[in-house]
């Protein structure tokens, strides 16, 4: 347990540690200087407290130290806001040149760079913020700026130059001519300094846009041409970039005749910086150059630059890569297909610049800048190449840029991703893999750039969400969004986390409510309850309220509200109860007053009894917002509860901070009048604006409720229609079976009746033939008349039963007579043949009846087919009419009436069939009766003949 040195008992080793600690303690106990200033210095820095701001500023500028002077000059814009007249009368003269009689010089004369920069920044702030009317104080500011414009320090000179350029925008034309242009004529001479000539170039470019065209052509353009021929390349390059302002001031014709030749000459300069300046200026003036000049001047220059840039300096390539999209867009109508292909090929090369070649750090940075510029120009190149050809032309380059090894390149690709998605429109699925890669990027800078336009990107991607749900890409996108939030939430960049939650609120409009409740709402609620950064918590509360507002499912909304109340408002931790008040504050901005008063107000007022003073303190701060959501007389009861809550806090509160806050709140509540309009017109207008906004929110909420009810009714209508169609199918099947059974039974009955009649006819024939003698001997030939009479009396409707009754008479008669006539057998044969003919007629009638029955069965079958077709048509119309509930109910009534009509039609057809069958049976019965009557008459005639 002990070290070897202690075991040996060495005193030096034992004392080594304590001696070192004693030395550290001795260093800590050294005397420390309590103050950085002595008493005399403090007396010098002390200012009388009775002085006002203007007097204090004048005193410090006069006798103060440099630190105090810098402070006064930096605070000059606030002094101008408070009292501009006194400031320009007393303070500004101390800053600029004083009267020559005075011995004290001005503050800026001989002052250091810190005071000069502070003065330039203060004057620039005064000019940019429009604090004063520049016309009334032109002399005070402009003289000071022009005096220090040629400062020997480059940084100070540039600061005053920026102030002058900003002042030119507000100066009148006459002042510019007198105070600014006249000194320029002298500064532009070659004998003047380089900084002076550079300042002249910039001032000329700024002034050209302010003056008349005639003055610019007559006085400024010759000076600009002389500066374009300056011996210093910096001056030529600077003036070349200012020629764009001259071109826009003079017009198209003058640009073509005067400025374009000058730019072409500068594009051939020996210095590369001048050539780059000329190239950039020509590209910026592309819209002012006509088609012929584009074809003969610009296109050859661009193609030569593209060919030379592959072997030239990296600066040329960087400039070309930055202007590439503008060049291609401007020359799209003047290029041949071959030239377009060469430009696209050159852009593809620029997209992978520096990835295959290893070089020094400078070349590496230039190559990285080139690829970043390619990301910037990629949307313009998509328009140039046509978005329909994106997959074949630009997708490999875009994919390589999104997966570039450098973070800055991927960040640039993420910044322009929303434009690429918009141009792809329906083909957005092509870049789905790249979107997932950017969302899952390890560098948070890439995700930060993607968050700036995340809402536009997701709107373009999720516009086809109905199709994405069926794909595997939709769950991948949801998982990537959740993983991005977890990655940002686990980092220390809480501002990025706040931005991400702010943009995730757009998912409430883009995703179904089930997806939000299942994936995003639990995570947002977890952030709301566990995150310790207050801005992140507030943004999570806003996002959760947005999810709640746009959810169209009543059960899900109720579940989310119950979770808010149970885990936040009624939570055990006071931290959660404070978060509920934050949620109430956000809900009052997102929801309408009606919804907020119904679901949030009462629960918030119940926190007046909270045991933690911090919760009651925050509730007191929230009371004016809660009361502003009430309107009389509709919210009279809620107002009484709020007043009771205030009285309870005033009567029972013991915490001094809560008491002080509730007193201030009571004063604010007393100023609010709910019954009468505001007296002040501005406040009244603001209230009207708030009321209109609240009405709009309430209409949107009512519309969401109507959409929810309509969706429910549609789902119920679908279920009911499916059930109705199943019932219809069953009824149609049963009706078909019933019709078939009825047709089969009717045909069987007709067949059985016809079979019985056939049997009876055959039996009568056999009996009539059996009653005839085998041998006939005709002896008496005197009876043909009687035979003829007999044959004439025989009718067609004789029945077989009458023949059976006459059999014994016939046998007795033929046995007793010795001479039988030869016509008797003929009589029997003719009678038999007539019977056979009649029976055949009956058989033919029966067959015709059978044929009719067959026709009726075929007609019934056809009717069933027609009914089935009608049912199918009704199904189609039913599915089409499910979109509208009212039309669906009307169709249901029509279907019911149609089914009743069909049933009536079926009953009518069955009645007709039954009637036709009864008629057929009646006809058969009549024929059989007639046949029996004829037979009886024949038998009676035979018997009478015998008698």
């Amino acid at each position: 347990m002990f070290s070897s040195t202690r075991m040996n008992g060495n005193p030096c080793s034992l004392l080594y540690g304590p001696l070192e600690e004693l030395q550290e303690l001795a260093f800590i106990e050294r005397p420390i200087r309590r103050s950085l200033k002595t008493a005399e210095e403090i007396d010098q820095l002390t200012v009388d407290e009775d002085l006002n701001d203007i007097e204090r500023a004048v005193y410090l500028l006069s006798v103060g130290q440099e630190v105090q002077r810098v402070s006064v000059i930096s605070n000059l814009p606030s002094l101008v806001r408070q009292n501009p007249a006194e400031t320009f009368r007393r303070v500004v003269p101390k800053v600029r040149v004083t009267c020559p009689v005075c011995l004290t010089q001005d503050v800026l004369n001989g002052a250091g760079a810190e005071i000069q920069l502070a003065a330039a920044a203060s004057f620039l702030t005064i000019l940019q913020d429009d604090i004063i009317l520049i016309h009334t104080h032109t002399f005070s500011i402009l003289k000071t700026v022009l005096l220090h414009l040629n400062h020997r320090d480059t940084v100070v000179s540039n600061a005053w130059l920026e102030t002058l350029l900003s002042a030119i925008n507000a100066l009148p034309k006459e002042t510019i001519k007198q105070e600014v242009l006249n000194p320029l004529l002298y500064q532009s001479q070659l004998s003047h300094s380089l900084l002076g000539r550079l300042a002249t170039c910039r001032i000329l470019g700024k002034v050209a846009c302010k003056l008349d065209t005639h003055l610019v052509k007559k006085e400024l353009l010759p000076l600009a041409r002389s500066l374009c021929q300056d011996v210093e390349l910096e001056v030529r390059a600077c003036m070349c970039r200012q020629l764009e302002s001259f071109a826009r001031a003079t017009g198209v014709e003058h640009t073509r005749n005067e400025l374009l030749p000058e730019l072409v000459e500068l594009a051939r300069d020996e210095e590369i910086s001048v050539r780059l300046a000329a190239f950039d200026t020509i590209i910026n003036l592309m819209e002012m150059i006509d088609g012929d000049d584009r074809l003969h001047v610009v296109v050859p220059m661009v193609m030569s630059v593209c060919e030379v840039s592959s072997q030239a300096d990296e600066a040329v390539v960087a400039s070309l890569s930055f202007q590439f999209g503008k060049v291609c867009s401007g020359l799209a109508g003047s290029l041949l297909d071959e030239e377009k292909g060469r430009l696209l090929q050159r852009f593809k090369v620029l997209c992978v610049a520096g990835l295959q070649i290893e070089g020094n750090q400078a070349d590496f940075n230039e190559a990285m800048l080139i690829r970043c510029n390619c990301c910037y120009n990629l949307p313009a190149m998509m328009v140039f190449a046509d978005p329909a050809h994106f997959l074949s032309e630009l997708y490999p380059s875009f994919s390589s840029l999104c997966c570039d090894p450098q973070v800055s390149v991927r960040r640039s690709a993420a910044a322009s991703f929303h434009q690429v998605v918009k141009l792809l429109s329906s083909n957005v699925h092509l870049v789905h893999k790249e979107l997932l890669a950017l969302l899952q990027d390890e560098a948070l800078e890439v995700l930060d750039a993607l968050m700036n336009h995340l809402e536009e990107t997701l709107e373009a991607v999720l516009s086809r969400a109905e199709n994405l749900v069926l794909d595997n890409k939709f769950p991948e996108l949801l998982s990537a969004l959740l993983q991005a939030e977890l990655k940002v939430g686990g980092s220390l960049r809480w501002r990025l986390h706040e931005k991400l939650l702010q943009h995730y609120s757009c998912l409430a409009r883009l995703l179904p409510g089930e997806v939000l409740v299942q994936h995003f709402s639990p995570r947002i609620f977890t952030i709301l309850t566990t995150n310790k950064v207050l801005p992140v918590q507030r943004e999570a509360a806003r996002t959760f309220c947005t999810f709640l507002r746009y959810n169209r499912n009543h059960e899900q909304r109720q579940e989310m509200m119950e979770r808010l109340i149970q885990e936040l408002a009624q939570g055990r931790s006071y931290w959660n109860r404070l978060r509920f008040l934050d949620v109430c504050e956000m809900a009052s901005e997102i929801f309408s007053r009606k919804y907020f008063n119904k679901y949030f107000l009462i629960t918030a007022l119940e926190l007046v009894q909270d045991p933690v003073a911090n919760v009651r303190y925050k509730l007191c701060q929230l009371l004016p917002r809660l009361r502003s959501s009430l309107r009389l007389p509709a919210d009279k009861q809620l107002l009484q509860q709020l007043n009771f809550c205030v009285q309870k806090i005033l009567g029972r509160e013991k915490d001094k901070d809560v008491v002080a806050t509730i007193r201030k709140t009571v004063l604010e509540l007393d100023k609010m009048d709910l019954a009468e309009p505001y007296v002040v017109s501005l406040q009244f207008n603001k209230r009207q604006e708030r009321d209109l906004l609240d009405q709009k929110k309430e209409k949107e909420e009512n519309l969401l409720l109507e959409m929810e009810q309509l969706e429910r009714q549609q789902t119920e209508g679908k279920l009911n229609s499916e059930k109705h169609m199943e019932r219809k199918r069953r009824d149609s099947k049963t009706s078909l079976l019933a019709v078939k059974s009825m047709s089969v039974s009717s045909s069987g009955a007709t067949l059985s009746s016809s079979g019985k009649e056939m049997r009876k006819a055959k039996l009568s024939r056999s009996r009539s033939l059996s009653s005839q003698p085998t041998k006939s001997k005709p002896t008496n030939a005197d009876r043909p008349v009687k035979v003829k009479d007999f044959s004439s009396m025989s009718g067609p409707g004789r029945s077989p039963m009458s023949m059976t009754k006459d059999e014994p008479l016939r046998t007795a008669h033929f046995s007793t007579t010795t001479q039988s006539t030869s016509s008797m057998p003929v009589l029997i044969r003719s009678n038999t043949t007539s019977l056979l003919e009649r029976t055949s007629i009956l058989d033919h009638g029966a067959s015709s009846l059978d044929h009719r029955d067959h026709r009726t069965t075929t007609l019934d079958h056809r009717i069933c087919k027609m009914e089935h077709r009608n049912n199918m048509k009704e199904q189609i119309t039913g599915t089409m009419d499910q979109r509208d509930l009212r039309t669906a109910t009307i169709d249901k009534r029509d279907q019911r009436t149609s089914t009743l009509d069909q049933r009536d039609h079926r009953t009518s057809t069955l009645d007709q069939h039954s009637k036709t069958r009864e008629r057929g049976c009646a006809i058969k019965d009549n024929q059989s009766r007639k046949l029996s009557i004829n037979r009886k008459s024949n038998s009676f005639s035979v018997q009478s003949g015998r008698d």
Side-chain angles (χ1 to χ4, degrees):
M1 294 177 65
F2 297 94
S3 61
S4 58
T5 56
R6 292 197 175 190
M7 293 296 291
N8 295 333
N10 190 356
C12 295
S13 61
L14 290 173
L15 294 175
Y16 182 78
L19 284 175
E20 185 178 359
E21 294 176 359
L22 289 174
Q23 290 176 359
E24 292 179 357
L25 291 175
F27 176 77
I28 294 174
E29 291 179 357
R30 288 177 185 175
I32 299 174
R33 187 179 178 182
R34 297 299 181 91
S35 178
L36 299 176
K37 299 291 182 181
T38 62
E40 296 178 356
E41 292 174 346
I42 291 175
D43 292 336
Q44 293 177 0
L45 295 173
T46 303
V47 182
D48 189 5
E49 296 181 357
D50 296 333
L51 298 176
N52 57 23
D53 294 337
I54 301 296
E55 293 175 351
R56 186 183 300 111
V58 172
Y59 175 76
L60 292 176
L61 288 174
S62 301
V63 298
Q65 296 184 5
E66 185 177 358
V67 178
Q68 293 173 324
R69 293 179 179 182
V70 171
S71 176
V72 171
I73 294 174
S74 300
N75 198 34
L76 191 60
S78 62
L79 293 175
V80 174
R81 291 189 185 96
Q82 295 173 6
N83 195 349
E86 288 295 321
T87 303
F88 278 95
R89 190 176 67 86
R90 300 181 61 185
V91 180
V92 174
K94 288 292 182 180
V95 179
R96 63 181 177 81
V97 179
T98 58
C99 182
V101 180
C102 297
L103 297 177
T104 39
Q105 295 293 325
D106 136 282
V107 175
L108 296 178
N109 270 347
E114 188 176 1
I115 294 179
Q116 295 277 350
L117 294 176
S122 297
F123 282 120
L124 182 61
T125 304
I126 292 171
L127 294 173
Q128 288 179 347
D129 295 348
D130 295 331
I131 300 173
I132 61 170
L133 294 175
I134 190 64
H135 302 282
T136 59
H137 303 286
T138 301
F139 183 79
S140 300
I141 295 179
L142 190 59
K143 285 294 183 181
T144 306
V145 174
L146 292 175
L147 183 63
H148 301 91
L149 189 61
N150 294 323
H151 199 274
R152 59 182 178 272
D153 191 352
T154 306
V155 178
V156 175
S157 177
N158 289 331
W160 284 112
L161 179 60
E162 293 296 333
T163 305
L164 177 61
L165 296 176
S166 179
I168 288 175
N169 294 326
L171 290 174
K173 294 181 180 180
E174 295 298 329
T175 305
I176 293 174
K177 292 178 184 178
Q178 296 175 4
E179 302 294 336
V180 179
L181 287 181
N182 291 332
L184 290 181
L185 298 175
Y186 173 75
Q187 292 178 2
S188 61
Q189 297 177 2
L190 296 177
S191 60
H192 203 68
S193 64
L194 176 63
L195 294 178
R197 298 201 299 275
L198 290 175
T200 302
C201 295
R202 296 190 62 185
I203 293 172
L204 285 176
K206 192 72 174 180
V207 169
C209 299
K210 291 283 295 182
L211 301 179
D212 298 332
T213 304
H214 178 72
L215 183 61
V216 172
K217 294 179 181 179
K218 184 179 179 180
E219 297 184 5
L220 300 186
L221 192 57
L223 180 59
R225 285 180 175 176
S226 64
L227 290 173
C228 288
Q229 305 299 326
D230 197 275
V231 294
E232 298 293 338
L233 62 94
E234 292 89 351
V235 178
R236 298 198 304 271
C238 182
M239 194 63 238
C240 182
R241 295 188 183 277
Q242 301 303 322
L243 289 180
E244 181 181 355
S245 301
F246 280 86
R248 300 188 185 279
T250 56
V252 177
E253 290 296 331
H254 193 271
T255 301
R256 179 181 181 184
N257 298 328
E258 300 293 336
L259 296 180
L260 187 59
E262 190 73 28
L263 288 171
V264 173
E265 184 179 355
L266 290 172
R268 300 169 184 170
D269 196 274
E270 58 184 3
E271 296 294 335
I272 187 171
S273 60
V274 180
R275 295 199 302 269
L276 286 178
F279 178 76
D280 294 340
T281 304
I282 292 174
I283 297 306
N284 293 332
L285 294 175
M286 188 77 68
E287 68 274 8
M288 299 184 66
I289 302 175
D290 57 3
D292 294 337
D293 291 333
R294 289 184 187 181
L295 184 61
H296 297 95
V297 176
V298 183
V299 173
M301 182 182 65
V302 170
M303 300 306 297
S304 63
V305 169
C306 289
E307 293 175 358
V308 175
S309 62
S310 59
Q311 302 171 354
D313 190 9
E314 291 292 334
V316 180
V317 183
S319 178
L320 177 65
S321 64
F322 182 74
Q323 298 281 358
F324 211 95
K326 187 182 292 186
V327 169
C328 294
S329 300
L331 299 177
S334 304
L335 293 174
L336 300 175
D337 293 338
E338 182 182 358
E339 293 173 340
K340 288 184 178 180
R342 288 166 60 186
L343 288 177
L344 281 174
Q345 188 64 31
R346 183 57 186 159
F347 181 77
K348 295 176 184 178
V349 174
L350 293 176
C351 289
V352 294
L355 294 179
Q356 295 85 6
I357 302 174
E358 295 183 0
N360 54 16
Q361 187 65 27
D363 296 338
F364 178 78
N365 294 333
E366 289 290 338
M368 183 176 64
L369 178 61
I370 291 170
R371 297 199 300 274
C372 291
N373 292 335
C374 290
C375 294
Y376 170 74
N377 289 296
L378 188 64
M381 295 305 298
M382 287 181 62
V383 177
F384 177 73
D386 191 359
H389 301 151
F390 172 77
L391 184 62
S392 59
E393 295 291 342
L394 294 174
Y395 175 73
S397 302
F398 177 72
S399 180
S400 66
L401 292 174
C402 291
C403 302
D404 197 89
Q406 295 301 317
V407 176
S408 59
V409 179
R410 300 198 303 271
R411 182 179 58 193
S412 300
S416 61
F417 193 89
H418 66 287
Q419 297 178 352
V420 175
V421 168
K422 287 181 180 179
L423 291 173
L424 288 175
S425 63
S426 60
N427 295 324
V428 69
H429 61 278
L430 297 176
V431 295
H432 180 76
K433 182 178 70 174
E434 285 71 26
L435 177 60
L436 296 181
L438 294 176
L439 285 172
Q440 298 172 356
D441 198 285
E442 297 179 356
L444 295 179
E445 292 83 358
V446 178
L447 195 58
D448 190 5
L450 190 64
M451 286 298 115
N452 293 328
H453 301 279
L454 182 66
E455 185 173 356
E456 301 175 15
T457 304
L458 292 180
E459 283 180 358
V461 172
L462 297 176
S463 59
R464 52 187 294 272
E466 296 179 357
N467 298 329
L468 278 174
V469 173
L470 303 177
D471 302 337
N472 294 327
K473 298 179 180 179
F474 187 69
E476 292 177 356
L477 180 59
L478 297 182
S479 177
L481 290 173
L482 291 173
Q483 290 296 326
E485 190 279 322
L486 289 174
K487 184 188 300 180
V488 176
S491 66
L492 298 177
R493 300 186 60 177
W494 62 268
R495 289 183 179 85
L496 178 59
H497 198 190
E498 181 185 7
K499 183 194 294 186
L500 184 141
L501 293 176
Q502 180 182 358
H503 290 291
Y504 272 18
S505 60
C506 69
L507 296 175
R509 297 182 291 103
L510 302 175
L511 294 179
E514 293 78 6
V515 176
L516 290 176
V517 172
Q518 184 178 0
H519 294 88
F520 290 93
S521 295
R523 177 57 189 166
I524 300 298
F525 193 83
T526 303
I527 297 170
L528 180 61
T529 54
T530 60
N531 199 285
K532 302 302 180 183
V533 181
L534 185 58
V536 175
Q537 291 175 354
R538 293 175 63 84
E539 200 58 47
R542 184 185 296 275
T543 305
F544 192 85
C545 291
T546 307
F547 288 173
L548 178 61
R549 183 174 186 265
Y550 288 98
N551 195 333
R552 296 199 296 267
N553 193 330
H554 178 71
E555 290 78 9
Q556 293 176 357
R557 287 199 307 271
Q558 195 68 25
E559 182 180 354
M560 294 171 72
M561 281 301 305
E562 290 177 356
R563 188 174 185 184
L564 280 176
I565 294 173
Q566 292 177 1
E567 299 188 21
L568 292 184
Q570 300 175 358
R572 297 182 59 185
S573 174
Y574 85 97
W575 187 263
N576 291 340
R577 298 195 293 274
L578 288 174
R579 299 291 74 77
F580 179 77
L581 294 177
D582 290 336
V583 171
C584 291
E585 186 177 356
M586 297 299 172
S588 64
E589 299 176 0
I590 295 175
F591 294 97
S592 63
R593 288 196 300 263
K594 183 178 179 181
Y595 191 93
F596 178 78
N597 296 338
K598 183 178 180 181
Y599 292 101
F600 290 94
L601 183 61
I602 303 298
T603 309
L605 292 178
E606 291 176 354
L607 293 177
V608 70
Q609 301 177 356
D610 197 275
V612 180
N614 290 345
V615 179
R616 301 194 302 273
Y617 179 82
K618 191 171 183 62
L619 177 62
C620 294
Q621 293 177 340
L622 193 62
L623 285 177
R625 183 182 290 270
L626 298 180
R627 187 168 179 179
S628 64
S629 66
L630 303 179
R631 291 291 182 270
L632 290 179
D635 301 328
K636 185 177 180 180
Q637 296 181 355
L638 294 175
L639 180 60
Q640 292 177 356
Q641 294 183 8
L642 191 143
N643 292 332
F644 179 72
C645 173
V646 173
Q647 293 174 3
K648 186 181 292 186
I649 297 176
L650 288 173
R652 300 180 181 179
E653 188 58 50
K654 297 180 181 180
D655 189 86
K656 59 180 182 179
D657 296 328
V658 179
V659 171
T661 306
I662 194 61
R663 289 176 179 174
K664 294 180 182 179
T665 304
V666 168
L667 295 176
E668 293 181 10
L669 294 176
D670 291 338
K671 295 178 182 179
M672 301 174 63
D673 189 3
L674 301 175
E676 298 178 359
Y678 291 111
V679 179
V680 183
S681 60
L682 181 61
Q683 294 179 351
F684 181 71
N685 292 332
K686 289 183 179 180
R687 180 175 179 179
Q688 282 185 339
E689 292 177 359
R690 288 196 297 267
D691 291 341
L692 291 175
L693 182 61
D694 183 74
Q695 291 176 4
K696 183 179 179 181
K697 291 178 182 178
E698 189 172 351
K699 286 181 181 179
E700 291 178 357
E701 291 169 359
N702 293 332
L703 181 61
L704 291 173
L705 292 176
E706 291 177 0
M707 292 173 65
E708 177 186 0
Q709 293 177 0
L710 184 60
E711 289 178 356
R712 286 186 178 182
Q713 291 174 359
Q714 287 180 354
T715 53
E716 291 176 359
K718 288 180 181 179
L719 295 175
N720 294 331
S721 62
E722 290 176 357
K723 292 180 181 179
H724 182 68
M725 296 309 298
E726 289 180 358
R727 291 177 182 175
K728 267 194 167 185
R729 291 172 184 173
R730 293 175 183 174
D731 294 340
S732 61
K733 289 180 181 179
T734 53
S735 62
L736 288 173
L737 293 174
V739 170
K740 288 181 180 180
S741 62
M742 290 176 64
S743 62
V744 170
S745 62
S746 62
S747 61
T750 53
L751 290 173
S752 62
S753 61
S754 61
K756 289 180 181 180
E757 291 176 355
M758 290 290 290
R759 290 173 186 173
K760 289 181 181 180
K762 289 180 180 180
L763 183 61
S764 63
R765 288 181 214 160
S766 62
R767 287 182 178 177
S768 61
L769 291 174
S770 62
S771 62
Q772 183 180 359
T774 55
K775 293 180 180 180
S776 61
K777 295 180 179 180
T779 57
N780 194 2
D782 296 330
R783 296 181 181 177
V785 178
K786 290 183 179 180
V787 172
K788 191 179 290 186
D789 294 336
F790 176 77
S791 63
S792 63
M793 290 179 65
S794 63
R798 300 179 63 184
S799 63
M801 294 298 295
S802 60
M803 294 179 66
T804 56
K805 291 181 180 180
D806 295 338
E807 288 297 328
L809 294 175
R810 290 179 181 176
T811 52
H813 172 70
F814 282 108
S815 60
T816 53
T817 55
T818 55
Q819 288 181 347
S820 62
T821 59
S822 61
S823 62
M824 198 60 162
V826 177
L827 174 64
I828 295 173
R829 289 192 186 97
S830 62
N831 195 3
T832 306
T833 53
S834 63
L835 290 174
L836 290 173
E837 289 175 356
R838 290 166 187 168
T839 53
S840 64
I841 290 169
L842 291 173
D843 294 336
H844 181 69
S847 63
S848 64
L849 290 173
D850 294 336
H851 187 64
R852 289 178 183 175
D853 294 333
H854 180 67
R855 287 181 180 177
T856 54
T857 54
T858 54
L859 288 174
D860 294 335
H861 185 64
R862 289 178 182 176
I863 290 167
C864 294
K865 286 184 177 180
M866 292 295 292
E867 290 175 354
H868 183 66
R869 291 177 182 174
N870 291 330
N871 292 330
M872 294 298 293
K873 290 180 180 179
E874 289 173 359
Q875 290 179 5
I876 296 171
T877 55
T879 53
M880 292 178 65
D881 292 336
Q882 286 174 4
R883 299 177 181 175
D884 195 352
L885 180 62
R886 296 176 182 175
T887 55
T889 54
I890 293 171
D891 291 336
K892 289 179 182 178
R893 293 176 184 175
D894 294 336
Q895 289 175 1
R896 291 176 183 175
T897 53
S898 63
T899 51
L900 292 174
D901 293 336
Q902 289 175 2
R903 291 177 183 175
D904 296 336
H905 182 67
R906 290 175 186 172
T907 53
S908 62
T909 52
L910 292 175
D911 294 336
Q912 290 178 1
H913 294 167
S914 61
K915 288 179 180 180
T916 52
R917 289 169 187 163
E918 289 176 357
R919 289 175 184 174
C921 295
I923 291 170
K924 291 179 183 180
D925 294 337
N926 291 330
Q927 290 178 357
S928 60
R929 287 176 185 174
K930 289 181 181 180
L931 184 61
S932 62
I933 291 169
N934 290 330
R935 286 178 180 175
K936 287 181 181 180
S937 61
N938 290 332
S939 62
F940 180 73
S941 61
V942 171
Q943 187 175 0
S944 61
R946 289 176 183 173
D947 294 338

